[in-house]
Amino acid sequence: MHKGCVIRVGDLGEFGVIRRISGRLPQGSGVILGPGDDAAILEAPDGRVVVSTDLLIEGRHFRRDWSSGYDIGRKAAAQNLSDIVAMGANPTAIVVGLGLPGEASAEWLDALTDGFRDECALVGATVAGGDIARSDTVVIGVTALGDLGGRTPVTRSGARPGDVVAVAGRLGYAAAGLAFLSAEQGLALPPAERTTAEAGSAEIADEFVAAHRRPAPPYACGPEAAGLGATAMLDVSDGLLQDLGHVATASGVRIVLDPGSLPVPEAMARLAAGLGADPLEWVLTGGDDHALAATFPRDVPLPPSWRVVGQVSDADGEAKAEVSGRAEASGGWDHFRE
Amino acid sequence: MHKGCVIRVGDLGEFGVIRRISGRLPQGSGVILGPGDDAAILEAPDGRVVVSTDLLIEGRHFRRDWSSGYDIGRKAAAQNLSDIVAMGANPTAIVVGLGLPGEASAEWLDALTDGFRDECALVGATVAGGDIARSDTVVIGVTALGDLGGRTPVTRSGARPGDVVAVAGRLGYAAAGLAFLSAEQGLALPPAERTTAEAGSAEIADEFVAAHRRPAPPYACGPEAAGLGATAMLDVSDGLLQDLGHVATASGVRIVLDPGSLPVPEAMARLAAGLGADPLEWVLTGGDDHALAATFPRDVPLPPSWRVVGQVSDADGEAKAEVSGRAEASGGWDHFRE
């Protein structure tokens, strides 16, 4: 296709963009009124609604040269849906505010929309509405809603001394992928000039780069944990240690992680060796995988999706999360760091 | 205060910003869980929840040199709360995604937060949660939620031939204020060099500039209209004529406005004369006042807050909104126009 055939969102106009997006979005049974009015209307059978919002900014949360539109849509939706399941709720819908440069292609927008749609479909949710605006860079505001189905919500503040700490989902995968992409950019070697070791890293890195581009949150484990009687839970978005620190502070307890029980897959260890990095650092401080971390009473038999990685004890005057036998780690992600 | 004393959001860090914002936000009785967890939890007593989202981008939807942080907060909240009442619902809460440059002052952020809070307080809602991210320009994503209280939602598609068209709230005020600010910037004359006519315009303009900075949506009129049996309703955000065009299309009817019944206050007419503008154009195509436009069965006695401005008739093959005796107008706002 020659360049003149590319349709830009600036050519479609606001209503053209809205029509194009809406046309790709089926509505779920829980959506009473979908896109096209002042507001959407969703069923809230529980009588309570769970809501979470996130803002993703090009260049900070994603790069259009590192991720496809489809992957960005998947990731943006995943990040919010994960917050809903981390309360023990089932996501029902998302609404999306999109800031788009006029030069973005309609094809890219279609892919982004499909990404939102397909990630929502994994949990039976839909894109129920949105707003678009022109912007110099891509800005994505996603708000997800969910229904508790009669369950008690699982907050950050319920961890009790004697509980176990368990995680579901992947840890450090996205951080490993991002470290590889960043190192590759720093080297800027064309594939032909790479050493064998570097080429080997690239092959190993595939899985982690894919994880950076598209997280795979363990959605079903959130409501599952609520049903099992989890005392506290959150979505790991800023790094396991920092996020468990939030649980420790909110609950007034100390959380001690056993480094031997933290999963470091062999491929991750090999990639880290190639990059001169510490894989445990990725596991402890990497965000973006949207694993779930929860505390459970010790006597609760946990299904295989949950892996025990630590213990909850008395705060002893200092509520915090730490790794047994390890000096204070560098913490997780602060979105205001440069 | 010397410059070294100004606290920047970049100095506060992500969690400092969140603490600072949360500390200024009281929570309402309908908020089961407010800011600080993965998601907020709100009461949804109706069993349905109304949700609307908007994205506001600095330089497109607001300018920090034309509006205070407080006014931007009020306006951003108003825009969304208005979408909720336009369905006939009562707003319960908003959640806010904030993109902030590191150099923004903490004082400006406080003012913005207070603006969100105070606008929400007008309708008994609160800021129940949010997200912050660093951004080169200010980006504000607001999502509002509401409860229908057992009422039938009023959509855009229910207008029927024979209905009357009525509006509540102000029309053209914000457009007049924006036209004045734009003209003033174009002139760039210091006050002392203004002609008497220009100085007179500036005085008249105050009310309209204030309306541009901070809309005053007729919140109570939304649920009121639903209770009165409105057949269709929307929030006028892109201009009365264009927005009624959406009602006409969705309902498959023709809407004819009577220009003589459209309110053009004397001060607006004088300001328009000073700027060489057509005040009726502001009234017909100006957004940002967040008036409500609705259709009602002819026999419904309307309270004084609603002013009849037109009639609904058969589409006769072309569903559209038009002004009686006036050629096709230029339409309203398209957010993808440059």
Side-chain angles (χ1 to χ4, degrees):
Chain A
M1 197 193 302
H2 66 83
K3 206 176 169 188
C5 288
V6 175
I7 303 169
R8 307 279 168 197
V9 300
D11 306 328
L12 295 173
E14 180 179 4
F15 299 103
V17 169
I18 291 172
R19 269 192 302 271
R20 190 160 180 129
I21 294 176
S22 302
R24 302 181 84 85
L25 297 172
Q27 291 307 309
S29 57
V31 178
I32 299 166
L33 184 70
D37 219 297
D38 288 299
I41 306 176
L42 310 172
E43 285 180 2
D46 178 86
R48 297 167 295 177
V49 63
V50 179
V51 58
S52 178
T53 197
D54 272 312
L55 192 64
L56 288 86
I57 306 216
E58 180 171 16
R60 295 202 174 266
H61 300 93
F62 60 87
R63 288 175 51 157
R64 278 190 278 168
D65 55 342
W66 281 7
S67 296
S68 68
Y70 184 75
D71 283 345
I72 293 169
R74 292 285 298 257
K75 186 171 182 168
Q79 177 170 337
N80 260 266
L81 297 170
S82 177
D83 282 324
I84 300 299
V85 302
M87 304 303 294
N90 287 115
T92 49
I94 64 171
V95 292
V96 179
L98 265 188
L100 295 173
E103 46 73 22
S105 76
E107 201 182 343
W108 184 88
L109 178 66
D110 289 346
L112 182 78
T113 305
D114 291 351
F116 292 138
R117 179 196 65 201
D118 292 353
E119 192 70 24
C120 284
L122 294 178
V123 293
T126 53
V127 183
D131 180 45
I132 61 150
R134 199 154 182 160
S135 171
D136 293 334
T137 54
V138 176
V139 176
I140 305 173
V142 179
T143 303
L145 292 94
D147 190 85
L148 283 159
R151 287 181 293 276
T152 301
V154 187
T155 67
R156 301 178 174 196
S157 59
R160 296 288 167 260
D163 286 352
V164 297
V165 181
V167 294
R170 304 188 299 197
L171 290 168
Y173 277 56
L178 182 61
F180 176 78
L181 286 172
S182 304
E184 194 182 44
Q185 193 186 44
L187 297 173
L189 284 184
E193 292 174 37
R194 283 182 193 148
T195 63
T196 312
E198 281 162 4
S201 288
E203 204 166 293
I204 298 170
D206 279 354
E207 179 182 12
F208 303 105
V209 169
H212 162 72
R213 292 195 174 120
R214 194 191 300 175
Y219 293 121
C221 297
E224 176 187 57
L228 289 167
T231 50
M233 179 158 54
L234 48 55
D235 154 59
V236 178
S237 53
D238 295 326
L240 181 65
L241 196 56
Q242 180 171 311
D243 283 321
L244 285 175
H246 298 321
V247 171
T249 311
S251 302
V253 297
R254 181 166 301 187
I255 286 176
V256 183
L257 293 174
D258 167 16
S261 67
L262 290 167
V264 179
E266 196 208 326
M268 188 186 287
R270 282 167 60 204
L271 181 67
L275 296 173
D278 177 0
L280 202 57
E281 192 77 19
W282 292 336
V283 169
L284 286 168
T285 67
D288 279 356
D289 287 305
H290 301 287
L292 291 169
T295 56
F296 295 92
R298 187 171 297 274
D299 57 359
V300 170
L302 293 179
S305 45
W306 289 91
R307 175 184 186 128
V308 174
V309 295
Q311 314 293 328
V312 181
S313 62
D314 279 321
D316 271 341
E318 195 185 0
K320 64 173 182 179
E322 61 191 356
V323 181
S324 178
R326 193 176 159 107
E328 294 286 322
S330 59
W333 181 253
D334 183 313
H335 290 288
F336 271 85
R337 273 193 209 154
E338 275 299 355
Chain B
M1 197 194 300
H2 67 83
K3 206 177 170 189
C5 287
V6 175
I7 303 170
R8 307 279 168 196
V9 300
D11 307 327
L12 294 172
E14 180 178 5
F15 299 105
V17 168
I18 291 172
R19 269 193 303 272
R20 189 160 181 130
I21 293 176
S22 302
R24 303 181 84 85
L25 297 173
Q27 291 307 310
S29 57
V31 179
I32 299 166
L33 184 70
D37 219 297
D38 288 298
I41 306 175
L42 310 172
E43 287 180 0
D46 178 85
R48 297 168 294 178
V49 63
V50 180
V51 59
S52 178
T53 197
D54 271 311
L55 192 63
L56 289 86
I57 305 215
E58 181 173 13
R60 296 203 174 265
H61 300 93
F62 60 87
R63 288 175 52 157
R64 278 190 279 167
D65 55 342
W66 282 6
S67 295
S68 68
Y70 183 75
D71 283 345
I72 293 168
R74 291 284 299 259
K75 186 172 181 166
Q79 178 172 336
N80 260 266
L81 297 171
S82 177
D83 281 325
I84 300 299
V85 302
M87 304 303 294
N90 287 114
T92 49
I94 65 171
V95 292
V96 179
L98 265 188
L100 295 172
E103 46 74 22
S105 76
E107 202 183 340
W108 184 88
L109 178 66
D110 289 347
L112 181 77
T113 305
D114 291 352
F116 292 138
R117 180 196 66 202
D118 291 354
E119 192 70 23
C120 283
L122 294 177
V123 293
T126 53
V127 183
D131 180 45
I132 62 151
R134 198 155 181 159
S135 172
D136 293 334
T137 54
V138 176
V139 176
I140 305 173
V142 178
T143 303
L145 293 95
D147 190 85
L148 282 160
R151 286 180 293 276
T152 301
V154 187
T155 67
R156 300 179 174 194
S157 59
R160 297 288 167 260
D163 285 353
V164 297
V165 181
V167 293
R170 303 188 300 199
L171 290 168
Y173 276 56
L178 182 61
F180 176 79
L181 285 172
S182 304
E184 194 182 45
Q185 194 189 44
L187 296 173
L189 284 185
E193 292 175 36
R194 282 182 192 146
T195 62
T196 312
E198 282 162 5
S201 287
E203 206 168 291
I204 297 170
D206 278 355
E207 178 182 13
F208 303 106
V209 169
H212 163 72
R213 292 194 174 120
R214 193 192 300 175
Y219 293 121
C221 297
E224 177 187 57
L228 289 166
T231 50
M233 180 157 54
L234 48 54
D235 154 57
V236 179
S237 54
D238 294 328
L240 180 66
L241 197 57
Q242 181 171 312
D243 283 321
L244 285 175
H246 298 321
V247 171
T249 309
S251 302
V253 297
R254 182 165 301 187
I255 286 176
V256 183
L257 293 174
D258 168 16
S261 66
L262 290 167
V264 180
E266 196 207 327
M268 187 186 286
R270 282 168 60 202
L271 180 67
L275 295 174
D278 177 359
L280 202 58
E281 192 77 19
W282 291 337
V283 169
L284 286 169
T285 67
D288 280 356
D289 287 305
H290 300 288
L292 292 169
T295 55
F296 294 92
R298 187 170 297 273
D299 57 358
V300 170
L302 294 179
S305 46
W306 288 92
R307 176 184 185 128
V308 174
V309 296
Q311 314 292 330
V312 181
S313 61
D314 278 322
D316 271 338
E318 196 185 0
K320 65 174 182 179
E322 61 191 357
V323 180
S324 177
R326 193 176 159 104
E328 294 286 322
S330 60
W333 180 251
D334 183 312
H335 289 288
F336 271 85
R337 273 193 208 155
E338 275 297 354

